Amino acid sequence: MNIVMLTENDPAGMGIAFTHAINRYTDHRCRLVSCQERYGINFEKDIYAPDIKDDNGFQTLDGILKDADIFHFHILSDETMSFGSLRVKDYIKGKKIIHHHHGHPEFRANPDSFCAKYRDLGRKMLVSTPDLHRMAPESTWIPNIVPLDHPLFMPAQTRRNGKVKICQAPTRKDLKNTDDFIHVTDRLKLRLPQIERVIIEQTQYQDCLNEKKTCHIHFDHMQGYYGVSSLESLSQGKPVIAGLDDWNTKYIKRFTGRDSLPWCIAKNREELEKTIENLVMDPYLCDDLGKQSRDFMVNVWNEKRVLDILFQVYSTL
């Protein structure tokens, strides 16, 4: 089966992550076609439309679109996309089509309109986190993935050497409780001067992951759900703080089959301050939670388990 993922920009690198995973672990073939970059993160690309400069390149893309069995659209993308003179709508006849949402503000503001659109078209919808499934109950949650065996996602021994580095890597600070993170760590540094706060932003993806590996504690956000940043840090064997709510916790436990999750839960400034203080003061707790984090990803959140869910949905298209 030939799968073509189509997206304006790659959402948190999940387009290329799923493309590689499908090609690595299944007998199916997947390509990713994208046409924008955002945030200067520089995720790896497959077919990047602005790089196509000649007829040979467009002929290659034409063949890929013609041979596709499934068009897998990400974010807000649909058949109105075009690449040069190639219009995706000219290729959809006979294709199986699915839409994969990743929390774009337009979707969050009016999920009912998207649900109604896909219902009218007879199409299915995927969402990347359980909170989006609450907005669109007819969707299927497909957990995000990271390549666990890639060196950038492997654990690394990180000695404290008098400093405890606590990091956050927000794409948009206004949506990720960064102000709370700064307020809490500023308060803590008055009595725990060993704390070193690291906010990683406007950094290319590989540099971001390398910087995260040097840190001891990772803060995602307190929005109720988890981000890809959580999964990256759990894979790296770090303790991760996030404000998971009951809804997200229920769905994660159902997917993983585990009653105990590795996240350190903090839902407000007071809880965040106490959690960071405990982790700073107890390096053995940090190490233990880090091992639990890596074990969790390897055993219950690996690429093969997620692909099983994805291909179950594909089989129903």
Side-chain angles (χ1 to χ4, degrees):
M1 186 163 61
N2 291 319
I3 302 147
V4 177
M5 298 198 170
L6 297 147
T7 188
E8 295 292 329
N9 62 287
D10 193 352
M14 287 302 100
I16 197 66
F18 274 99
T19 297
H20 284 327
I22 289 169
N23 292 330
R24 185 182 302 120
Y25 294 113
T26 78
D27 294 329
H28 305 285
R29 179 67 176 156
C30 186
R31 301 301 302 266
L32 170 68
V33 186
S34 59
C35 54
Q36 288 183 12
E37 283 190 51
R38 291 186 185 171
Y39 309 117
I41 295 174
N42 195 25
F43 293 115
E44 183 186 346
K45 300 175 185 66
D46 181 12
I47 300 169
Y48 185 54
D51 288 342
I52 302 176
K53 304 300 184 184
D54 55 31
D55 289 341
N56 287 336
F58 284 108
Q59 287 174 7
T60 298
L61 179 54
D62 172 72
I64 289 169
L65 295 173
K66 284 179 178 175
D67 291 342
D69 299 297
I70 294 176
F71 280 169
H72 183 142
F73 290 108
H74 288 273
I75 319 181
L76 306 183
S77 301
D78 58 23
E79 61 268 33
T80 62
M81 295 180 78
S82 61
F83 310 103
S85 62
L86 304 182
R87 302 181 305 173
V88 175
K89 68 180 181 180
D90 294 333
Y91 297 87
I92 64 171
K93 185 177 180 180
K95 309 295 188 193
K96 298 175 179 179
I97 297 175
I98 196 162
H99 295 267
H100 196 160
H101 283 276
H102 298 262
H104 189 282
E106 286 186 35
F107 179 82
R108 289 186 178 277
N110 197 3
D112 290 345
S113 67
F114 289 92
C115 294
K117 173 184 174 181
Y118 303 141
R119 196 180 305 120
D120 291 344
L121 291 169
R123 297 179 184 176
K124 294 193 175 181
M125 178 180 13
L126 308 175
V127 292
S128 62
T129 51
D131 63 299
L132 299 177
H133 176 65
R134 176 161 47 186
M135 299 177 184
E138 58 262 66
S139 66
T140 299
W141 170 43
I142 300 292
N144 287 326
I145 56 174
V146 294
L148 302 178
D149 296 329
H150 189 287
L152 288 171
F153 296 90
M154 295 287 288
Q157 184 68 35
T158 308
R159 298 186 182 279
R160 294 197 172 194
N161 295 325
K163 289 288 184 181
V164 182
K165 293 175 68 175
I166 308 168
C167 80
Q168 186 192 34
T171 48
R172 289 185 57 182
K173 293 189 292 186
D174 57 317
L175 300 178
K176 303 295 184 179
N177 298 103
T178 302
D179 287 346
D180 297 308
F181 179 54
I182 292 171
H183 173 85
V184 165
T185 47
D186 279 346
R187 278 177 51 88
L188 282 169
K189 283 193 289 184
L190 295 176
R191 62 180 187 276
L192 298 173
Q194 66 268 43
I195 288 176
E196 180 179 338
R197 180 180 63 231
V198 180
I199 298 176
I200 308 168
E201 56 182 331
Q202 297 180 335
T203 302
Q204 295 200 1
Y205 192 47
Q206 289 196 352
D207 295 335
C208 173
L209 291 171
N210 277 318
E211 179 67 22
K212 288 175 76 172
K213 289 188 80 165
T214 71
C215 296
H216 306 94
I217 302 164
H218 295 252
F219 172 63
D220 192 350
H221 56 72
M222 297 186 292
Q223 296 297 308
Y225 57 99
Y226 64 90
V228 173
S229 186
S230 268
L231 304 183
E232 294 166 353
S233 300
L234 292 171
S235 179
Q236 289 179 339
K238 309 292 183 179
V240 178
I241 304 169
L244 296 181
D245 61 20
D246 292 342
W247 176 275
N248 282 269
T249 299
K250 177 182 72 174
Y251 273 83
I252 294 169
K253 287 182 176 180
R254 183 182 299 174
F255 162 60
T256 61
R258 289 199 172 178
D259 288 331
S260 177
L261 304 180
W263 281 272
C264 302
I265 305 301
K267 299 180 181 180
N268 53 52
R269 285 185 175 183
E270 182 180 355
E271 292 178 0
L272 180 60
E273 183 171 337
K274 185 63 176 176
T275 300
I276 292 175
E277 182 175 14
N278 289 342
L279 292 170
V280 169
M281 297 299 294
D282 192 341
Y284 298 105
L285 175 62
C286 260
D287 289 345
D288 183 59
L289 288 173
K291 291 173 183 175
Q292 291 180 38
S293 296
R294 177 66 185 180
D295 172 79
F296 176 80
M297 293 299 294
V298 168
N299 288 298
V300 298
W301 203 301
N302 58 70
E303 293 157 285
K304 290 182 180 179
R305 292 197 74 230
V306 176
L307 289 180
D308 284 344
I309 301 172
L310 177 60
F311 276 87
Q312 286 173 20
V313 179
Y314 280 166
S315 70
T316 68
L317 299 180

